[in-house]
Amino acid sequence: MRLSARGYHRVLRVARTLADLDNSDKIGRLHLAEALSYRALAEDVRQLA
């Protein structure tokens, strides 16, 4: 996905939030996958606008 350092940090923050909502102490693969999917969705919306 060619993430910059800033983009990587943002994805990790979203994944941490998702893990918190799951009451998980650690960020799991599903949390990261969901965070990345939100980023991909946002890019698609940005391109359509």
Side-chain angles (χ1 to χ4, degrees):
M1 289 192 69
R2 295 183 181 182
L3 293 175
S4 64
R6 177 183 274 180
Y8 176 77
H9 183 68
R10 286 182 179 181
V11 168
L12 282 180
R13 279 193 315 198
V14 172
R16 177 72 258 166
T17 300
L18 293 169
D20 287 342
L21 290 171
D22 271 349
N23 293 322
S24 177
D25 291 336
K26 297 182 180 180
I27 298 173
R29 286 184 180 183
L30 290 176
H31 302 124
L32 281 172
E34 189 173 351
L36 286 168
S37 71
Y38 289 140
R39 182 173 179 86
L41 179 64
E43 286 179 14
D44 289 345
V45 169
R46 220 176 297 128
Q47 288 177 357
L48 292 174

